[in-house]
Structures are given as C-alpha cells and as structure tokens.
C-alpha cells in the first residue's frame, strides 16, 4: 500500500504505470551500461602490471602487539582521541569512574554487552540502555555513550563499531563523549585486517551499519581551522583491556 | 559563445585579478598541502597505491552492469528499496515521492554532490519540505543561498567574519567570529533538526558490489546522525561509485582522506547495507537507495574517456589546479569544478555548451599527477577540444590554422611572415594594447617578443 | 653522432640565440649538427585547440623533414612533448602512423639529450649569477624531465640555483594565453612572485615558450628579473 502511494507520487509527471517504470528504468540503465561496455576501453596506464597488494602500499604497521599499541596511541593522540591501556575489569571501572568524576557525568548511555554489562553498573549513575524503542531525546541528554567495539585499527587510530555490536547507530555518535571499551584481541594492525575480521565475524549476515570512527567529530569548514565536536562527540576515549575480563 | 561560456569568461576575468581572492584560496589550501604531503609520505608506496586504486576502479567500471546488479541484490536482501533513475528529474521525483508518502515535513541532509548535480534541494523545497544541510560548510552556503565553492570544502571562499554575519542575519545567533563558537552555534541548531527530522538524505562515496553496501565518508558525524535518527533514510549516488569488494575500502578510504583533506583517514567512514535489522537498537525503518545515471552511461560509452568515471571526487585535482586557484569554484558554474569538471561536464551537460571548460586549461598536467585514481585528466581535456572542434569548428579558428599550414611549411611564406613581423613591430607601438591591436588579448598585459634581426634559419644558411 | 636540430617556429623567429647556442655546444662536443633549412612548426597550436586535421597538415612536414635523422634535439620541452608523446596519437590510424612512431624515440628535449643521450653534464660553462629554474609543464609532466637541467646547472661555475617554493605552470599554455588572457596573466603573476621570492637575477628554463610568456609580463611590469634559456647559459664561458 505504502509502496503504491509512493510510486504514484514519484511518477506524477509521467504517464507510465508506477511499478512498471521503476522496473523499466532499471532495465534501461543496465541496457545502456551493457551497450556502452560493448566497446572496450583503451589499455590502462600500466596499472594492472604495477599492482601490488593493499597491505604492501598502505602505511607500515609493525609486527608485535606492542608495536600496534604504540601506533594506535600515536595516531589517536594526533587526532585528539584519548587512549589508555588498562589491566583488568576493575581498572576499567576505576578509569570510567575517573572520567565520570572529572567531567561531571550525571547520566550515561550504554548497550547490553559482555564488557559493558561488567563495568557500567559499577558507575552507579542513571543509565539509558540503547534498545529497540529507546527515546532518542533521552539519549541526546546523556553525558556519555559507552560502547564496545569490533576492532581498533593501529594503522589509522580508528575504532570499528557496528549497529549490532555497539548498541545501534546513535549511541556512538549522539552523546557528547564516546567511550569505547576494547578487548585485547580487537586491536588489529591495519585496515585490511579490520575488514578481514568483519568478514569472518559477519559475512553471512552483515549488520546494517559498520562505522570506522577516527577521533572525535571534527570540522575545518571555517577557514580550515580545526574544531572538535562539530555534530558528534567532542571527546573520544578508547580503553583497551589488556587481559580478558 | 554559449551562455555558460560568457558567464565563465566574465567571472574569470573578475576573479583572476582579485588579489584578495587569490590570497584567500592560497591560505586555505596551504595547510592542506603540508598535511597532504605528510600523509602521502606515510604510505609505504603511494604510487603503488595509485596504480592499485586505478586498476580496482577499472575493474569495477568494466563490469558495471554485473556490479550494479550485485549491489542491488545485496541491498535488497537486507530490506533496502533500490530505485533506478535515468536522470535528475526522475531521481528528484522518486525522492519527493518517498517523502510525500511518509507525510514528512523536515528533511535533514548530509553532503552529497550528486544531490547538487540534480538540484534536489530546489525540488524538495518546491514540494513544500524543509531541507536542512547538516555538513557545516554546506549549512553555511545554504544559509547564504550559494552553491558549494569546492566539492570537499564548500565554504572555502568565506572568512569567519562573513560567516558570523550570515549567522547573525539568518540565525540571529552569532556570539563572535571565533570558528569554535560559530561551529557550536551550528551544532546547537542542527542537533534539534536531527531529532525532529522525519527523513535523512545522504550521498555516498563508494558502493560495495560484493556485500551490497554504500559507504559514506565524513568528518563531522552529521551523516552518521542523519542515518541514525530519522525514520526514513535515503541515499542518492551515481552508478559509478562502485568498488568490487569490501576490502577495497581499505585502500580507498585512506587515499580519499589523504589527497582530499590531508588526513590519513576521515573521521567517520560508515557502510550502510539496510534499514534497522532485527536485534538492532535503532536506525531507520526504511532505507532507500537511489542509483542515478544522469548521463554517466554517455560518458561510459566514450571508451576513450570512460576512466573519468573512476573519479572518487576527492578534489585533489582542484586543489593543485592553477586555473581553479585563480578563478575559484563558483566561476565554473557547474557542480563539479576544476579539471574533473572540465572533463565530465561536457559529457553530463552537453559538449557545445560546456566545451569552454575544456579549453580553460593550460594543460599543465598537475591534475593528472595529483589524481589518486590516475585519470588522465589533461589529455581528456584535449580530447574534448578535439571532439568539439570536429563537431562544430569555429570558422575563424579553422581559417587561421588552415592559413598557418603553408606558412609553417614553406620557406618563402615564412620569410614573408618574418619580414611582416619586423615591419609590424615598428608600427605596433601606435596601437599596442588598444582595442585596435590584433594582438590585444596578449598585449593587454604582456609585451610581445621582438622579431630577431636575423632568424636562426637565416643565420644557419649564411653560416653554411 | 649526427644530431638533427629541431628549431621550432617561434624560436627561429624570436629566439635565434637559443638555436645558435645549441649548435655551438654540440659542435664543441664534437658532433655533426644538421638542421633542415625549411621552417618548422610542430603543429601544437592547432593540436591543442582541437584542430587535429590542420595540426596534421603541419606535422606531416616535420615527419618528412626528420625521417632520416639519427637523433633529434629540440629547443623546447613543449615541442618535444608534441613530437615524442602526441604525434603517435595524432597520427594513429593514418598512413603516417609508422613514421610518427619511428620518430618519437629519436626525439629529445635539449637538456635531456645532453644528459641522458650524451651522458654529458659539464660543459665548462661559467655564469656568475643567482638563478631560479622554471620547469616547463610539458617537459616536466609529459617527458618527465626534472633532473637533467639541474645536473647541467650544477656544473656551471659560479652559478647559484635557488629553487622556487612551488612547481607551478607559468600560465602560457599556447592558445590558452590568448583565449583566457586574464587567467593566463594571473598564473604568470603567481609564477613571477615565486621567482622574486628567490631573489634570483634570472629565471632559467628549458622551454622558450614559457620564457616568452614570463618575459612578456616582466617587460610590461618593468621588473628587473630576466629570463634566459638554459642553452644560452651552457654556452657561456
Ligand atoms: S579526477 Fe581524480 S583528483 Fe579529481 S576529484 Fe576525481 S579522483 Fe580526485
């Protein structure tokens, strides 16, 4: 029903019946594409011959866990994200409490997850849990969003979250401070490793959103001067748990 | 001359002599240049990355039909509605239709050059919706009623004072001209819009055929919010945005950020494959992807220039282009300015009306050298010139070049030219630089070189 | 070796000293120099403007003049690019295709010829001045010549080379300079400012066409900095 109304509106200026046009535009476009491609393009500029692999051209990443921690740290700091390695779950709680006290959090948001469940209640703050039907206005009023992640990428200082592993879409971008809890094995060397990890974890059924977050929200749109917190979080804190909980 | 050509000449003449504008562009890009070079140096092999990116895009485009079908299948499998639009009018109608059917009023939009290309905002406003651009730069130019100045830095042409004044008149909120405070004004205004909006519209930088996803690159988080809060999400993208595999993004995301903005990777790179899935906390109930042709297939059909569809809209060719830097983005009068605009606009909007953009280049090749996907930009400009001259030669140029053939080829005539040159040179000061001067276009700002007392060939023959 | 000189039309007419310098340098190195008597234009103006038929009519003559040459040394990077890179494209599919393809590898821009083909960098020249070097875009990006002129200048006694902060086009661009004079002039002004920042006395280049543009602006603006072709420096002692 919705569909029919929509297509009628979409085609108010044409005579062809609604659904038909959609189908035919698809066919038209694909036909034009095929027709165009029937003439081969001239030879390339020698790229195919020169091509190596993606990992071999991207920035170097080092070999050991320590290298990767150091590289992530360097990239994160450069991008004004905060990064800390903590030993165990109790250190994690202590660190969160320190952040809460320092910034005066009154209300936080999080999602159900092994790590978040293990530490968030200990904060003793009113907590909004991202779940189906949660109020976005409520989420907007929280001082921090605490999420898990799928990966940390040393090469770029990025945090990888998905709509399945990090409490949906808004939690990691709506509250003004995003706190990421990461397990040791989440730290990967490079972007190709992160995509490989996603493939292993989700290939059968990808979440509706995968986001590579690098640093707090930023803009340079006014005179190319860097300002943090353009729309999303002004602060991004990444806490890496060195041992399993 | 076509109307766009007249406009171009008029604006170019004005801006090329505007020293304040020249300085502004220079300052805006100088920090970027340092960072860009620094990030390029971090790659183990930047030239190798370019080769790989070019080869990947070539593969993507050479099987575009298959990749598009694969993309659509993957998206549809997750409940996305995929729409196909042959032109801008259809795409606008589809999007207006979706919004109308939801009885929506407020639309938030993140940066999308494709939407600029089809004048989507006008169509939405005409249909009675409120459309709010959420990217800060786009928000500023929208408030001013201007087009984006640059495909990556929309408000590059403005200084803080101008932005403060814009906020003061349009938002009645402009505490100072401090960029941070101005940004926070925009943040406050736009936050409310995200929460209230019924529909979010985004563009996309890539579309992954294999997994059926669109990938959106941004720094501010505005696209993330646009895709998170409204009940309906619409993504509009050109059919050329394809990459074959998900892993290809590992290459393209850092390359785009490096040459596009001098960052190793942008703040948010987000792949969307569908509306909210079962078990996910939030996200739109509906996700629509509109695939736009709008003459991209015409460019595809030109095998010689097909690779122009490899463009990832990074803006690197604009930034290094000495013409762009002297005339600015608005002068082009197109969605895509600079070298890439000069190549593709004649294909997208008509060769004879837009060929002047292909001529407005010294063919220095800085663009080609900068392009991360190795598009042979300045040679494509030459091909557009050839095609336009073949289709519709200008009689006086044809005559001039025809006349030149025997002159260049025959000693007797060349001698005449030499003599004529020497004589003309003596008389020239009488009219030099005036409108009577046949060389006015040169002599208005430059001196002509004197004809030598003895040409090289005269010397050579004498010596023999 | 017998070196055939290609002296393009505008060098013949306005900058004969560039050709003369080339002859003297090559003869001093012990090579036989030949040069077609007839005038010669590589056909670039028509080519760049899109009039390929007219360009071919001019360029065919060049193919004919140079068909027996062993090697061709060219006084301008721009014409060099035309002959080396664009002729094969211009004549693709025509009866002259083979001749164009045969000519391309024999063509060298002059500084590249000295360094890459002859393996010479020191010509015993002396030029006691501070100079800066302008890379003509065609030489730089079509022919990938960057080091050769610098290696030659490094051996010139008492010459001090100060590089400009940026490598940008001088704004000439052939017919572009006449079609879009304001943009072309603005680009030239940017170039001149960069050169002035180096406090050089001379702007040196291996492309006379760029120098024609830059000198034209300098003369009009009565600026003291001068232009000179690299060959003219290499011949001095
Ligand atoms: S043509 Fe190349 S450099 Fe220019 S915007 Fe496209 S990808 Fe970037």
């Amino acid at each position: 029903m919705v569909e029919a109304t929509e297509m009628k509106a979409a085609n108010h200026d044409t005579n062809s019946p609604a659904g038909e046009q959609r189908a035919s535009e698809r066919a038209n476009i694909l036909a034009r594409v095929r027709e165009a491609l029937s003439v081969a393009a001239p030879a390339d500029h020698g790229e195919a011959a020169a091509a190596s692999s993606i990992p071999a051209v991207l920035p170097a990443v080092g070999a050991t866990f320590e290298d990767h921690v150091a590289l992530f740290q360097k990239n994160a700091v450069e991008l004004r994200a905060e990064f800390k390695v903590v030993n165990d779950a109790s250190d994690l709680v202590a660190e969160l409490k320190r952040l809460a006290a320092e910034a005066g959090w009154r209300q936080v948001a999080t999602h159900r997850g092994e790590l978040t469940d293990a530490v968030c209640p200990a904060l003793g703050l009113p907590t909004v849990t991202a779940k189906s039907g949660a109020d976005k206005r409520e989420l907007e009023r929280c001082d921090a969003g605490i999420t898990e992640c799928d990966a940390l990428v040393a090469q770029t200082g990025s945090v990888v979250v998905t709509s399945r592993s990090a409490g949906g879409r808004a939690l990691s971008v709506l509250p003004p401070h995003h706190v990421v809890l990461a397990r040791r094995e989440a730290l990967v060397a490079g972007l190709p490793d992160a995509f490989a990890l996603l493939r292993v974890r989700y290939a059968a059924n990808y979440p509706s959103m995968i986001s590579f977050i690098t640093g707090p929200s930023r803009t340079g749109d006014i005179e190319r001067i860097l300002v943090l917190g353009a729309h999303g979080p002004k602060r991004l804190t990444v806490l890496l748990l060195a041992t399993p909980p | 001359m076509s109307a766009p050509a007249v406009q171009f000449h008029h604006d170019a003449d004005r801006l090329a002599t505007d020293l304040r504008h020249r300085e502004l562009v220079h300052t805006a890009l100088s920090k970027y240049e340092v960072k860009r070079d620094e990030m390029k140096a971090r790659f183990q092999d930047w030239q190798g990355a370019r080769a790989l990116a070019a080869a990947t895009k070539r593969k993507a485009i050479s099987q575009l039909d298959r990749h598009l079908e694969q993309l659509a299948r993957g998206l549809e499998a997750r409940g996305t509605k995929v729409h196909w639009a042959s032109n801008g009018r259809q795409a606008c109608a589809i999007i207006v239709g979706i919004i109308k059917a939801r009885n929506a009023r407020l639309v938030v939009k993140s940066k999308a050059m494709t939407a600029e290309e089809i004048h989507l905002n006008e169509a939405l406003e005409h249909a009675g919706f409120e459309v709010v651009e959420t990217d800060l730069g786009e928000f500023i130019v929208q408030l001013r009623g201007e087009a984006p100045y640059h495909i990556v830095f929309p408000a590059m042409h403005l200084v803080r004072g101008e932005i403060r004044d814009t906020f003061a008149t349009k938002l009645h909120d402009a505490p100072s001209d401090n960029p941070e405070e101005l940004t926070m004004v925009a943040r406050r205004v736009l936050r409310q819009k995200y929460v209230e909006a019924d529909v979010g519209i985004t563009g996309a930088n890539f579309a992954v055929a294999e997994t059926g996803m669109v990938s959106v690159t941004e720094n501010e988080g505005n696209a993330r919010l646009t895709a998170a809060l409204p009940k309906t999400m619409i993504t509009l993208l050109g059919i050329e945005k394809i990459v074959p595999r998900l892993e290809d993004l590992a290459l393209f995301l850092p390359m785009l950020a490096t040459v596009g903005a001098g960052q190793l990777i942008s703040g948010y790179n987000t792949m969307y494959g569908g509306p909210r899935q079962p078990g996910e906390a939030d996200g739109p109930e509906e996700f629509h992807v509109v695939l736009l042709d709008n003459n991209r297939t015409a460019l595809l059909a030109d095998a010689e220039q097909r690779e122009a569809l490899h463009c990832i809209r990074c803006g690197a060719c604009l930034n290094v282009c000495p013409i762009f830097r002297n005339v600015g983005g608005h002068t082009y009068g197109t969605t895509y300015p600079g070298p890439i605009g000069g190549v593709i606009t004649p294909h997208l909007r008509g060769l004879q009306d837009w060929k002047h953009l292909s001529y407005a280049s010294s063919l220095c090749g800085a663009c080609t050298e900068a392009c991360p996907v190795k598009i042979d930009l300045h040679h494509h400009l030459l091909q557009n010139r050839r095609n336009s001259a073949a289709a519709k030669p200008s009689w006086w140029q044809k005559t001039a070049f025809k006349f030149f053939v025997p002159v260049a080829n025959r000693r007797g005539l060349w001698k005449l030219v030499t003599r004529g040159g020497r004589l003309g040179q003596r008389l020239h000061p009488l009219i030099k630089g005036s409108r009577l001067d046949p060389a006015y276009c040169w002599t208005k700002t430059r001196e002509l070189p004197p004809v030598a007392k003895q040409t090289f060939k005269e010397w050579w023959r004498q010596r023999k | 070796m017998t070196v055939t000189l290609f002296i393009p039309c505008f060098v013949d007419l306005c900058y004969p000293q560039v050709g003369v310098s080339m002859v003297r340098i090559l003869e001093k190195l012990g090579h036989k120099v030949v040069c077609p008597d007839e005038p010669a234009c590589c056909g670039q103006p028509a080519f760049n403007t899109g009039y390929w038929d007219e360009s071919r009519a001019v360029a065919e003559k060049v193919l004919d003049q140079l068909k027996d040459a062993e090697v061709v040394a060219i006084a301008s990077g721009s014409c060099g690019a035309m002959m080396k890179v664009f002729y094969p494209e211009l004549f693709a599919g025509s009866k002259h295709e083979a001749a164009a393809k045969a000519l391309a590898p024999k063509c060298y821009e002059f500084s590249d010829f000295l360094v890459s083909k002859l393996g010479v960098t020191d010509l015993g020249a002396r030029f006691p001045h501070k100079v800066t070097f302008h890379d003509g875009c065609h030489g730089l990006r079509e022919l990938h010549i960057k080091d050769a002129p610098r290696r030659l200048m490094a051996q010139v006694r008492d010459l001090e080379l100060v590089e400009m902060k940026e490598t940008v086009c001088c704004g000439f661009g052939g017919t572009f300079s006449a079609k879009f004079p304001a943009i072309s002039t603005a680009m030239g002004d940017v170039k001149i400012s960069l050169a002035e920042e180096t406090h050089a006395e001379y702007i040196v280049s291996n492309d006379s066409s760029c120098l024609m543009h830059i000198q034209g602006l300098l003369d009009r603006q009565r600026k003291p900095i001068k232009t000179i072709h690299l060959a003219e420096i290499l011949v001095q002692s």
Side-chain angles (χ1 to χ4, degrees), chain B residues 151 259 308 310-318 339-340 367 370-375 377:
Chain B
I151 61 180
V259 286
H310 299 177
C311 174
I312 59 172
R313 307 277 187 261
C314 68
C317 58
L318 281 56
I340 185 63
C367 48
C371 178
V373 288
K374 298 187 78 158
I375 301 172
L377 289 157

Side-chain angles (χ1 to χ4, degrees), chain B residues 130 147 193:
Chain B
E130 182 188 349
K193 300 288 183 187

Side-chain angles (χ1 to χ4, degrees), chain B residues 359 378 409 414 457 463, chain C residues 12 27 38 48-49 61 142:
Chain B
Y359 280 99
H378 69 298
N409 284 350
W414 185 244
K457 300 267 161 114
R463 187 167 182 261
Chain C
D12 181 44
E27 286 181 348
E38 299 292 308
N48 277 356
T49 314
K61 175 81 180 276
E142 303 292 349

Side-chain angles (χ1 to χ4, degrees), chain A residues 2-3 5-7 9-14 21-22 25-30 32-34 36-48 50-61 74-75 78-79 130-134 136-137 139-140 155-158 161 163-164 167-176 191-192 195-196 198-199 205-234, chain B residues 28 31 39 42-45 48-49 51-52 54-55 58 61-62 64-65 68-69 72 78 81-86 89-90 93-94 97-98 101-102 134-137 140 153-155 158-160 163 179-180 182-184 187 190-192 194-195 210-211 213 219-222 224-225 227-229 233 239 245-251 253-254 263-277 280-284 288 293 297 300-301 303-304 306-307 374 376:
Chain A
V2 171
E3 176 74 344
T5 343
E6 170 210 319
M7 288 318 299
N11 294 295
H12 63 275
D13 56 351
T14 69
Q21 193 196 339
R22 177 197 281 195
E25 281 317 319
R26 176 191 157 112
N28 288 346
I29 292 173
L30 288 173
R32 283 197 296 270
V33 169
R34 288 191 188 109
L37 289 176
S38 66
V39 180
D44 70 4
H45 318 296
E47 292 95 68
S52 60
S53 72
I54 298 176
V57 299
L58 293 182
V61 286
K74 173 183 160 283
N75 282 321
E78 195 178 289
L79 292 158
K131 57 173 183 291
S132 176
K136 52 193 176 187
R137 283 168 212 276
L139 199 57
E140 213 253 316
Q155 192 166 49
T156 52
S158 309
V161 299
S163 46
R164 202 174 302 156
R169 297 190 183 190
L171 179 58
S172 54
V173 75
L174 195 53
L191 290 168
F195 281 105
L198 289 167
R199 182 178 292 276
N205 179 16
Y206 280 104
S208 73
M209 182 201 83
I210 301 168
S211 193
F212 286 65
I213 300 172
T214 314
S217 156
R218 62 192 53 230
T219 186
D221 274 346
I222 302 177
E223 292 186 11
R224 312 290 326 126
I225 291 163
L226 176 71
V227 177
L228 298 182
H231 299 274
K234 297 176 188 177
Chain B
K31 261 190 257 168
M39 295 308 150
R42 290 200 192 172
F43 280 66
Q44 292 175 80
D45 180 3
L52 205 50
R58 191 169 291 269
I61 296 295
S62 68
L64 187 57
D65 50 339
L68 284 171
E69 289 179 308
R78 269 178 237 104
K81 292 211 181 80
V82 179
H83 308 259
W84 303 71
S86 283
R89 193 184 48 77
Q90 284 178 8
I94 289 167
I98 295 168
R102 268 112 209 118
T134 57
D135 170 87
L136 178 60
I140 294 167
F153 315 128
L158 300 170
V159 294
R160 57 184 84 184
I163 297 169
E180 169 132 27
L182 290 170
T183 304
M184 291 311 134
R187 180 182 167 108
L190 291 170
R191 282 237 143 193
Q192 286 320 304
Y194 296 119
V195 177
E210 176 210 13
T211 55
M213 294 171 186
N219 275 311
E220 299 180 359
N222 61 309
R224 280 286 311 271
L225 289 164
L229 301 179
M233 171 178 175
I239 53 172
R245 302 171 314 139
L246 186 59
E247 279 82 353
D248 294 329
L249 295 177
L251 178 68
L253 301 180
Q263 297 173 286
L264 189 54
I265 192 164
S266 313
Y268 299 89
N269 285 287
T270 311
M271 291 114 243
Y272 299 99
R276 182 164 80 90
Q277 301 293 294
E280 293 179 357
D282 58 6
H288 298 264
D293 177 351
T297 47
L300 189 73
E304 193 177 43
R306 181 175 296 162
E307 63 165 14
K374 298 187 78 158
D376 213 348

Side-chain angles (χ1 to χ4, degrees), chain B residues 372-418:
Chain B
V373 288
K374 298 187 78 158
I375 301 172
D376 213 348
L377 289 157
H378 69 298
H379 292 162
H380 296 319
L381 294 174
L382 262 173
Q383 290 154 359
N384 279 343
R385 296 180 186 187
R386 178 202 60 201
N387 296 348
S388 77
K392 200 163 171 263
S394 107
W395 66 267
W396 70 268
Q397 289 191 59
K398 203 164 174 79
T399 315
F401 287 124
K402 274 237 158 69
F403 174 74
F404 186 65
V405 176
V407 171
N409 284 350
R410 278 199 223 120
R411 199 199 297 186
L413 281 174
W414 185 244
K415 235 187 206 148
L416 252 152
V417 167
T418 314

